[in-house]
Amino acid sequence: MTDSNDTPNALLAFFSRPVVVIVASIASIVAIPLSVYFYVASRETPQLTYFVHPAKAAVVRTGQTSRLSVQFAGQDLTSDVTAAQIAFWNAGRRPIHGSAILSPLVIRMGNKARILEARLQKASRDVVGLTVDSSRLSSGEVEIRWSILEQNDGGVLQIVYAGDDKVEIQAHAILEGQREIVRLDYEGRISTPSEEYTRRQGWQGQLFVYAI
């Protein structure tokens, strides 16, 4: 008959074997860097972010320019004309490669307000390869693509559209690791897109300056 004390003694003897001790030590050593790696990897995600500057510039106001005739592409404009600026950037730690764009970044106007002009004002670096597709301006859409957006990389897009400053502007995109992009809304004092960009991320002195 086996003594009940033999089982714990056998387990103690097993775990006291040099081979078992070495294997356990190796497993512990490997587990630490793996834990650190998976923790860091979980934090390294893309975070495409955009900010629509709340201070839109009135280019033309109907009813206030009785002697002024405004035309676009040879046609008279009967609506207000407004200029707006949209800043966008990667606030995440993982670079966003062009190949990771599942659905491109598209700026859309509320009520499909016609975009008269879309111009890239600033880019963080030439190597990011920002491009603007203006083929759908008449439908109130403009598409932006890039080669790569590393952390803090981005740009400022200026659009001139037919409509007043109440027209809603939204952006949409789907990326690998980010199903929805982040929108930052106006808080407090009205600042330039450059100031908002820098203030929110704490990048003063480290980033390019968006001169407006």
Side-chain angles (χ1 to χ4, degrees):
M1 186 174 182
T2 304
D3 192 338
S4 59
N5 293 328
D6 289 346
T7 299
N9 290 336
L11 290 174
L12 181 60
F14 173 78
F15 286 108
S16 299
R17 293 179 181 178
V19 174
V20 176
V21 173
I22 293 173
V23 171
S25 299
I26 293 175
S28 300
I29 294 172
V30 172
I32 294 174
L34 279 177
S35 299
V36 173
Y37 169 78
F38 287 119
Y39 172 75
V40 173
S42 66
R43 292 172 58 89
E44 290 184 348
T45 58
Q47 191 176 5
L48 184 61
T49 306
Y50 77 102
F51 173 76
V52 179
H53 192 270
K56 300 173 182 176
V59 179
V60 175
R61 285 288 178 261
T62 56
Q64 299 180 7
T65 56
S66 57
R67 295 186 179 182
L68 180 62
S69 175
V70 181
Q71 291 188 335
F72 177 77
Q75 297 182 348
D76 290 334
L77 293 176
T78 58
S79 64
D80 293 351
V81 177
T82 307
Q85 293 178 332
I86 303 98
F88 57 93
W89 66 96
N90 178 17
R93 297 180 62 180
R94 181 192 297 176
I96 305 173
H97 295 272
S99 59
I101 303 174
L102 303 181
S103 179
L105 174 62
V106 175
I107 309 298
R108 291 194 177 101
M109 308 300 299
N111 298 323
K112 295 185 178 181
R114 182 182 183 184
I115 299 175
L116 307 178
E117 180 185 68
R119 181 168 61 90
L120 190 64
Q121 274 203 326
K122 288 291 180 180
S124 55
R125 299 180 297 164
D126 291 339
V127 295
V128 302
L130 289 174
T131 60
V132 177
D133 181 354
S134 302
S135 62
R136 304 197 301 275
L137 296 186
S138 60
S139 300
E141 294 186 355
V142 58
E143 181 179 307
I144 303 171
R145 288 184 177 270
W146 54 83
S147 298
I148 183 172
L149 285 185
E150 295 187 319
Q151 186 176 21
N152 303 344
D153 275 334
V156 170
L157 180 75
Q158 177 172 283
I159 59 173
V160 179
Y161 63 91
D164 59 22
D165 57 4
K166 300 298 190 296
V167 174
E168 181 70 14
I169 301 175
Q170 295 186 341
H172 303 273
I174 301 176
L175 313 170
E176 287 184 7
Q178 185 181 2
R179 294 186 178 181
E180 296 182 0
I181 63 177
V182 177
R183 173 172 178 147
L184 295 183
D185 291 314
Y186 165 68
E187 296 177 1
R189 181 184 68 87
I190 294 179
S191 57
T192 68
S194 174
E195 292 172 340
E196 188 68 19
Y197 188 163
T198 303
R199 180 179 69 82
R200 287 182 176 273
Q201 300 302 323
W203 298 333
Q204 188 75 303
Q206 300 179 24
L207 300 180
F208 61 96
V209 176
Y210 289 145
I212 304 304

